[in-house]
Amino acid sequence: MINREGDAAMRTQNSRSTTALDHLVEQIRAGAIETVIVAFCDMQGRLVGKRLTGQYTLDHVIEDGIHFCVYLLGTDMELNTPPGFPDMGWGQGYGDWTARPDWSTVRTLPWHEKTALVLSDVTDHAGNLIAVAPRTVLRRQLERAANLGFTVKIASELEFYLLDESYDAAHAKNYQSLALAGTYYEDYQLLQASRNEPFYAKLRKQLSLAGIPIEGTKGEAGVAQHEINAYYTDALEAADRHVLLKHGAKEIAIQNGRAVSFMAKPDHSWTGSSSHIHLSLWDQKDVNAFFDSSSDLHQMSDMMRHFLAGLIVHIRELSLLFAPYVNSYKRFMTASWAPTHIVWGVDNRTCGLRVVGHSNGKRIENRFPGADTNPYLATAAMLVAGLDGIENRIALPPEWVGNGYVAQDVHAESLPTSLYEAIRAFETSEFAKNALGENVYQHYLNAARVEQRAYDQVVTNWEKRRYFERV
């Protein structure tokens, strides 16, 4: 039965892909589309790829995809090529992989003239998915959920800072004394947000026109900090929209002489920026499997309890999959709106795992990921942990009531406070290795070590101010 449902889902996706591709072909032949961007997501959650002419797309890309150097899935943030990645290196010659477009994702970008973009899966030349590609990592966990009879739906809330200057201007002054687009905290404040409404309105409209339907935007808890929310949908599509939203927001900012930052903690004095992920499982009748009206525990089904318990047991050892950078961990501070302890609560923003919603809206909000997260990897990490909770019927600990920041008083586990801690938790986790597969596990462990090593070698301005004269 599960296989038949899976086959039906694949037929539906193939049908959408065929329809979308047929429409793109018509647009290219009519001259409405002249440029096609073939993109895929790298380890850092960024879109990489090529801009191609429409005619070349018709002649070659539809059948063959595009080739790219394998190193794009084995670099640090600066595109250096560090050693230690099992699938690539100088000794292996840095050959090519293929970005094969998923035509169901094609959309027109209204902020670029006559331009369409399509997201791709990464394969070898025989068409086999590359295991370490972020979209593949999520696909594997979605297949696991499907084998248990579930589809997965998510939405991510993205927070960011808006600057009254361009990226180039910020870079020229070494990111010091940045010109924030506001003067006071604007959490839900309509007046302060109205100062930048022309930009936010453009963001909502153009992203929605690009097939990233936006619910809305609102002021957040920092000066010039804002939040943007996309619609809840199937997990792969939601992750696709997430990376496209961030990419589109930056391009729209560039075109308007502004800058937006999705750093988890852009400055020690600023509120951190999150990417809360809301997740639920749905059964084969398209009913939310997390809701049970007869349950005496907040109408949470047994399935939801076990999934939530799996998160509590495993989320610490998987933390580098949703908090991948040194800066990610500077967001986790007491009374900062970012959680610190692995406890769950009902509509409790001090808990890392928040249960919200009613009926088909019943869901888990994971408040640990920051705006710097890679949505494919973060969602995959949630599924790795939660599905293990279901498969092994892990018991849910009691709900935390009250201030989750003081949960250490009852010896609740805390999230790692640094990338060092996260690396240690991941590298000693047999569970992570078995659940992800050896080469995915080693690949992302190496990426975290590379990130930490790069930071350790830098002398910061803080060190200079503190030690230059006084030691």
Side-chain angles (χ1 to χ4, degrees):
M1 178 65 178
I2 291 173
N3 287 337
R4 286 199 295 272
E5 290 289 331
D7 290 344
M10 183 59 70
R11 286 195 299 271
T12 300
Q13 179 176 323
N14 290 341
S15 176
R16 287 199 304 268
S17 297
T18 301
T19 301
L21 178 56
D22 288 345
H23 182 59
L24 176 63
V25 170
E26 290 174 6
Q27 287 182 303
I28 292 172
R29 288 175 175 164
I33 293 295
E34 295 178 350
T35 300
V36 178
I37 301 172
V38 179
F40 62 94
C41 181
D42 70 3
M43 290 193 301
Q44 290 78 20
R46 303 172 297 187
L47 289 183
V48 294
K50 297 180 180 179
R51 286 180 167 88
L52 307 168
T53 65
Q55 189 59 53
Y56 185 84
T57 302
L58 297 181
D59 293 343
H60 300 286
V61 178
I62 292 173
E63 293 296 328
D64 301 330
I66 63 167
H67 291 177
F68 68 91
C69 179
V70 302
Y71 96 106
L72 286 177
L73 287 175
T75 73
D76 65 8
M77 187 68 74
E78 304 286 349
L79 295 186
N80 295 312
T81 53
F85 291 109
D87 294 329
M88 64 198 66
W90 294 112
Q92 292 139 292
Y94 280 119
D96 277 354
W97 281 333
T98 301
R100 295 193 181 274
D102 176 350
W103 294 109
S104 69
T105 70
V106 71
R107 60 245 294 155
T108 301
L109 301 184
W111 57 89
H112 288 308
E113 185 178 2
K114 296 185 176 182
T115 298
L117 181 146
V118 62
L119 293 172
S120 305
D121 288 304
V122 177
T123 74
D124 61 21
H125 297 318
N128 301 304
L129 288 170
I130 298 300
V132 299
R135 204 167 190 259
T136 305
V137 175
L138 178 54
R139 276 193 181 277
R140 295 303 187 216
Q141 296 307 314
L142 294 176
E143 288 170 5
R144 184 177 162 208
N147 288 333
L148 292 173
F150 301 114
T151 59
V152 184
K153 296 185 181 183
I154 68 164
S156 48
E157 305 170 352
L158 264 169
E159 297 170 357
F160 61 91
Y161 279 89
L162 177 64
L163 275 63
D164 261 338
E165 58 187 329
S166 68
Y167 288 112
D168 290 342
H171 176 76
K173 57 184 184 181
N174 202 27
Y175 304 98
Q176 301 298 307
S177 303
L178 295 171
L180 288 171
T183 55
Y184 55 84
Y185 292 160
E186 62 178 78
D187 200 13
Y188 293 94
Q189 297 297 309
L190 294 176
L191 181 61
Q192 169 57 37
S194 69
R195 289 178 164 88
N196 297 300
E197 176 57 14
F199 177 78
Y200 296 136
K202 185 174 294 185
L203 208 58
R204 294 191 302 269
K205 179 179 179 179
Q206 296 200 334
L207 290 171
S208 294
L209 289 172
I212 309 163
I214 300 299
E215 291 183 1
T217 57
K218 62 171 280 291
E220 255 303 324
V223 176
Q225 190 183 34
H226 222 66
E227 177 180 292
I228 185 166
N229 298 326
Y231 275 74
Y232 204 64
T233 189
D234 290 348
L236 188 62
E237 171 68 12
D240 289 344
R241 291 177 184 178
H242 180 121
V243 295
L244 287 163
L245 190 160
K246 287 179 69 173
H247 183 82
K250 292 176 182 179
E251 290 194 329
I252 294 167
I254 288 170
Q255 292 174 353
N256 287 270
R258 314 289 286 274
V260 294
S261 177
F262 293 94
M263 277 184 70
K265 190 77 170 177
D267 186 273
H268 67 275
S269 64
W270 300 4
T271 304
S273 289
S274 73
S275 176
H276 302 151
I277 296 177
H278 295 248
L279 181 147
S280 58
L281 300 183
W282 294 66
D283 66 20
Q284 295 174 5
K285 296 180 180 178
D286 202 31
V287 173
N288 188 342
F290 278 1
F291 175 70
D292 180 355
S293 60
S294 66
S295 169
D296 59 357
L297 185 64
H298 307 294
Q299 297 187 321
M300 296 166 57
S301 69
D302 287 344
M303 211 67 67
M304 184 176 189
R305 298 184 200 194
H306 294 316
F307 191 98
L308 186 55
L311 288 174
I312 289 171
V313 168
H314 295 303
I315 205 162
R316 189 177 199 277
E317 60 197 312
L318 298 170
S319 58
L320 65 76
L321 292 180
F322 57 81
Y325 307 118
V326 170
N327 183 259
S328 305
Y329 295 84
K330 297 186 177 182
R331 175 176 151 262
F332 302 121
M333 298 175 62
T334 298
S336 67
W337 299 109
T340 56
H341 288 85
I342 305 170
V343 291
W344 74 275
V346 176
D347 196 17
N348 186 338
R349 286 184 169 87
T350 69
C351 296
L353 298 165
R354 178 177 173 234
V355 173
V356 290
H358 305 281
S359 188
N360 269 352
K362 200 75 173 179
R363 61 196 186 274
I364 296 168
E365 178 190 26
N366 180 1
R367 296 178 60 81
F368 289 117
D372 59 350
T373 198
N374 183 320
Y376 300 104
L377 300 179
T379 305
M382 289 185 71
L383 292 174
V384 164
L387 294 178
D388 183 71
I390 290 174
E391 290 172 330
N392 290 293
R393 301 186 65 80
I394 298 176
L396 181 65
E399 171 191 357
W400 183 266
V401 178
N403 185 355
Y405 290 112
V406 298
Q408 71 268 20
D409 295 344
V410 292
H411 309 293
E413 266 200 310
S414 63
L415 204 69
T417 58
S418 67
L419 185 58
Y420 269 124
E421 275 191 56
I423 290 170
R424 181 60 178 161
F426 194 75
E427 69 186 358
T428 58
S429 173
E430 286 298 317
F431 170 76
K433 183 187 297 184
N434 293 333
L436 293 167
E438 177 74 23
N439 70 328
V440 172
Y441 166 82
Q442 293 293 347
H443 194 88
Y444 285 96
L445 177 58
N446 188 62
R449 289 169 172 163
V450 166
E451 170 77 4
Q452 184 66 64
R453 189 161 55 246
Y455 177 78
D456 290 344
Q457 294 170 350
V458 171
V459 177
T460 66
N461 286 335
W462 183 89
E463 292 168 276
K464 293 176 184 177
R465 286 194 300 269
R466 191 173 184 89
Y467 305 127
F468 190 84
E469 177 182 343
R470 288 177 280 184
V471 296

